[in-house]
Amino acid sequence: MTPAEQLADIAAEPGVSKPDPILVVDNVTRAFGGLKAVDVDHLEVQRGVITALIGPNGAGKTTFFNLLTGFDQPDTGNAVFDGDVASGQSSHELARKGMVRTFQLTKALTKLSVIENMKLGATHQRGEHFFTALFSPLWNVQEKEIESRADALLERFKLDHMRDEYAGTMSGGQRKLLEMARSLMADPTLVMLDEPMAGVNPALTQSLLEHVKSLRSEGITVMFVEHDMDVVRDISDWVVVMAEGRIIAEGPPDSIGSNQQVIDAYLGSHHDSALDLDADLLGGES
Amino acid sequence: MSLAAIDWGFILTQSVTQAFDFNAVVYALAAIGLNVHFGYAGLLNFGQVGFVAMGAYGMGLSITLWQLNPFLAVIVGMIFAAIFALILGLPTLRLRSDYLAIVTIAAAEIVRLIARSTVMRPITRGAEGLNEFIGPFRDLSPFSASQTYGIGPIEWRGSQFFAVVVGWVLVGLSLLLVAQLMRSPWGRVVKAIREDEDAARALGKNAYWYKLQALILGGVIGGLGGMVQALGNATVQPDFFVAPLTFFFWLVLILGGVGRVWAPVFGAVVYWFMITFIQNTGRQMVDAGMIPTSIMDTSQIDQIRFWIVGAALALLMVFRPQGFFGSREEMALDAR
């Protein structure tokens, strides 16, 4: 069954339950002073599909992302990742369990070479412990294994020509590719991409899109924040819409554009025409 | 009034001796520790002298207070430095890097002030310092106190030569340790945290724990410097460990090049050579009448030499900001 078929019979309503969720969120709230930035009653993210998270500026998407990935802790509620309570766990613990994220502002480690950036991504490295690090024979073999995996990924992402350059010499788009490739080194089951296409030129966008799709064909679940509706329509199997901290709509990409709640959230509630999913209209934020 | 009046042989002998004396070792070890902190892990430590003091006091007290054997005393000194790292790191390393910087500069002064306080006199002997710990170390020394040792004109009295030899062995071991760690996956994580802590965390690395390990490692190496100081001077005086000393360690590190294994040692040797060279040359020039006493007398040279070193460092920063061993290419990446 293709991912789209799995989701075909599911009602397009907020908080709907799905056949095989990898991530289940319940009553998660986070307030900053008087502002309730995130207030999500229930959300399930289906395994093996690409889920887009969209919403107008200030909807709480990135805060929600931070809560899910352990970079921030919710005031109430919890998230269950792959049958394991995720709330309260720190970001590095979640990453080791297979939930790896990228950032809106790319975080290439500029003074490390590209290959070192990649090798960092591998988890459970013996040589990362202080005392084993002192004795090369204890980690040499694993290191070679990691290096060949890294080289294969660099080739797949067409970054192999940059292998020994400092990551700081890469262009913005190359850094996005590097960050995505590096996250794959951690053998993730769920990849969380925070605006993967932001600031990337159109030619590279296509190649990034292909890479995201190839994650799905490898069985990796993808959740991403995006503003460009063309991108959302092109690659996502399911769209979740946030506004003012709440999830206001869910559904297949085609159903979202005509959803009255979504139109109201983006354009104000007195607008009465169907929303034209124009990239310029919704993608104004970057 | 000619350059012939100056004894260049003497000046060079003095300068080279100082460049490899135990004081240079103290600076080298402290700067190797700082290099682990700042150069590799990106931790801003402005209180390295506190770690040096903890090492010296740990070793000294082990003997004066607890009568331990000298080898155990060295281990206790290292534990003292490690505990100091925990006290500083546990509360601050979860926060932004500035917090560690603020805490370290204060903590180093607190160590000195506690050690010299009257309340602590029964233990630390207050401002007078610890003096009775050196015996067991002298007994270990294979060098006779009445003889001199060295290569050619560069020589030390036996009592100090022991500290020089032990010191350089410790420098060698520390460099090997740092070099091995920094080429291992452990070092990769530490360097990644220096570049971007969140990126490391998103890839499953416990940034807090690695920063704590780096703080302990660099602190313990600094503590070894304190022990070499104690051995060389045969005393542990609280007022040796004044706050400005930390900035001389920084100077030595920057001179050599931040984030390069060898750089702190090179920096320390060059620094002590320069300081001694300027001092001796200046003194002889005054004595020979080449510099009139109306401009400068010999007692003022101690200050002038720091002016000159300061100016030299400023020039270095203009023309070679990466230090002697640093990489300009790497430096340029920061500007992007």
Side-chain angles (χ1 to χ4, degrees):
Chain A
M1 232 183 2
T2 68
E5 285 164 2
Q6 284 176 14
L7 294 167
D9 300 331
I10 294 173
E13 56 191 40
V16 68
S17 72
K18 303 189 179 64
D20 182 17
I22 190 169
L23 187 66
V24 180
V25 181
D26 271 305
N27 297 320
V28 164
T29 63
R30 178 76 170 102
F32 297 110
L35 174 77
K36 214 164 204 182
V38 168
D39 184 4
V40 172
D41 298 330
H42 188 78
L43 176 68
E44 295 183 9
V45 177
Q46 172 73 2
R47 189 189 305 272
V49 306
I50 299 176
T51 303
L53 180 63
I54 67 169
N57 269 332
K61 303 180 297 290
T62 295
T63 307
F64 189 44
F65 241 57
N66 287 342
L67 293 175
L68 295 179
T69 53
F71 277 83
D72 193 4
Q73 296 298 337
D75 298 330
T76 66
N78 64 63
V80 175
F81 168 58
D82 227 354
D84 191 7
V85 175
S87 301
Q89 294 198 41
S90 55
S91 47
H92 68 267
E93 288 168 327
L94 288 169
R96 281 183 208 164
K97 287 174 181 159
M99 188 202 291
V100 176
R101 74 170 290 179
T102 66
F103 295 87
Q104 187 174 350
L105 299 169
T106 39
K107 296 191 182 295
L109 306 163
T110 52
K111 284 191 239 170
L112 296 187
S113 67
V114 170
I115 185 73
E116 290 286 299
N117 262 271
M118 290 295 291
K119 288 197 278 188
L120 179 77
T123 48
H124 306 292
Q125 296 190 39
R126 280 191 282 278
E128 285 183 354
H129 300 284
F130 187 89
F131 290 106
T132 38
L134 296 174
F135 306 101
S136 307
L138 295 176
W139 47 265
N140 260 343
V141 177
Q142 194 191 27
E143 178 84 354
K144 287 216 180 72
E145 207 177 281
I146 290 168
E147 193 163 318
S148 60
R149 259 178 65 211
D151 276 324
L153 275 169
L154 283 179
E155 208 167 310
R156 172 172 149 195
F157 280 81
K158 299 199 173 54
L159 293 171
D160 41 335
H161 63 288
M162 303 282 294
R163 186 184 192 276
D164 298 312
E165 308 283 332
Y166 284 116
T169 62
M170 293 178 125
S171 72
Q174 286 172 325
R175 289 180 197 207
K176 290 266 180 202
L177 285 171
L178 174 64
E179 205 179 10
M180 201 179 288
R182 191 175 63 193
S183 67
L184 292 187
M185 287 296 293
D187 275 330
T189 48
L190 172 61
V191 174
M192 311 273 284
L193 307 170
D194 195 354
E195 300 204 27
M197 315 297 166
V200 174
N201 71 54
L204 204 56
T205 304
Q206 269 316 310
S207 116
L208 267 167
L209 286 178
E210 290 311 311
H211 286 301
V212 175
K213 285 184 196 167
S214 73
L215 297 186
R216 177 178 57 192
S217 40
E218 283 172 32
I220 297 171
T221 312
V222 179
M223 186 169 182
F224 72 109
V225 173
E226 188 50 63
H227 287 292
D228 186 331
M229 289 309 294
D230 284 333
V231 167
V232 170
R233 224 174 355 206
D234 183 4
I235 65 167
S236 58
D237 305 301
W238 194 259
V239 179
V240 175
V241 188
M242 277 185 89
E244 292 170 356
R246 304 188 60 88
I247 288 174
I248 57 162
E250 269 191 71
D254 298 331
S255 73
I256 289 297
S258 54
N259 182 308
Q260 192 59 42
Q261 292 258 30
V262 178
I263 296 167
D264 289 350
Y266 273 94
L267 298 175
S269 53
H270 298 298
H271 207 275
D272 53 4
S273 68
L275 178 59
D276 176 23
L277 281 180
D278 188 314
D280 293 331
L281 199 61
L282 297 181
E285 154 188 18
S286 62
Chain B
M1 284 244 303
S2 80
L3 286 179
I6 289 173
D7 184 353
W8 291 109
F10 174 79
I11 291 175
L12 278 176
T13 308
Q14 282 292 307
S15 306
V16 174
T17 308
Q18 282 298 312
F20 292 97
D21 201 1
F22 69 88
N23 277 315
V25 171
V26 176
Y27 278 51
L29 285 168
I32 293 170
L34 267 188
N35 200 24
V36 170
H37 290 155
F38 180 69
Y40 293 107
L43 303 172
L44 275 175
N45 172 11
F46 288 126
Q48 182 69 341
V49 73
F51 290 94
V52 175
M54 288 302 267
Y57 271 100
M59 187 183 85
L61 290 175
S62 302
I63 289 174
T64 57
L65 212 58
W66 303 310
Q67 284 87 38
L68 299 178
N69 87 46
F71 294 103
L72 272 178
V74 169
I75 292 183
V76 171
M78 291 165 77
I79 292 171
F80 265 51
I83 290 172
F84 191 56
L86 288 176
I87 293 171
L88 294 183
L90 285 173
T92 59
L93 289 179
R94 279 188 208 280
L95 308 170
R96 276 204 331 261
S97 62
D98 345 16
Y99 290 89
L100 179 72
I102 296 165
V103 168
T104 48
I105 195 166
E109 275 292 272
I110 291 171
V111 168
R112 181 177 72 87
L113 293 172
I114 288 179
R116 81 192 303 285
S117 67
T118 31
V119 186
M120 291 292 282
R121 186 166 288 161
I123 298 167
T124 62
R125 308 286 153 81
E128 189 189 320
L130 301 174
N131 300 306
E132 294 87 28
F133 62 87
I134 199 72
F137 291 100
R138 291 263 156 85
D139 295 342
L140 280 180
S141 167
F143 310 110
S144 152
S146 55
Q147 258 177 291
T148 57
Y149 298 84
I151 307 159
I154 295 139
E155 51 186 18
W156 287 274
R157 274 183 290 117
S159 53
Q160 294 198 328
F161 192 60
F162 183 55
V164 172
V165 171
V166 169
W168 284 105
V169 168
L170 289 175
V171 167
L173 291 175
S174 303
L175 288 180
L176 281 177
L177 179 74
V178 172
Q180 169 64 15
L181 282 170
M182 292 312 161
R183 64 177 207 89
S184 79
W186 186 88
R188 184 161 63 218
V189 176
V190 165
K191 284 181 262 183
I193 289 167
R194 171 192 72 196
E195 296 300 307
D196 194 312
E197 192 179 323
D198 283 343
R201 288 167 63 202
L203 293 168
K205 318 302 176 198
N206 186 348
Y208 177 65
W209 174 228
Y210 280 96
K211 287 199 286 184
L212 201 56
Q213 290 178 54
L215 189 66
I216 293 171
L217 173 66
V220 168
I221 295 175
L224 292 176
M227 297 182 222
V228 172
Q229 185 280 136
L231 279 187
N233 289 324
T235 177
V236 179
Q237 304 267 345
D239 291 335
F240 175 84
F241 307 102
V242 287
L245 199 53
T246 294
F247 297 95
F248 287 106
F249 302 152
W250 274 96
L251 187 156
V252 158
L253 174 62
I254 291 166
L255 198 67
V258 174
R260 289 285 177 274
V261 173
W262 269 95
V265 179
F266 179 82
V269 168
V270 167
Y271 169 80
W272 276 97
F273 183 89
M274 274 171 70
I275 285 285
T276 321
F277 187 86
I278 296 166
Q279 187 180 28
N280 280 290
T281 311
R283 190 170 291 157
Q284 292 205 18
M285 285 169 93
V286 173
D287 286 346
M290 291 166 71
I291 300 172
T293 45
S294 60
I295 296 175
M296 184 174 83
D297 62 42
T298 42
S299 66
Q300 286 163 334
I301 292 165
D302 277 0
Q303 279 79 52
I304 299 289
R305 62 183 179 161
F306 288 118
W307 293 14
I308 296 173
V309 170
L313 190 70
L315 285 175
L316 182 77
M317 288 299 99
V318 171
F319 294 107
R320 206 177 159 79
Q322 70 273 37
F324 278 97
F325 284 120
S327 139
R328 186 118 207 189
E329 192 193 0
E330 215 171 86
M331 196 99 186
L333 293 173
D334 281 336
R336 277 168 192 257

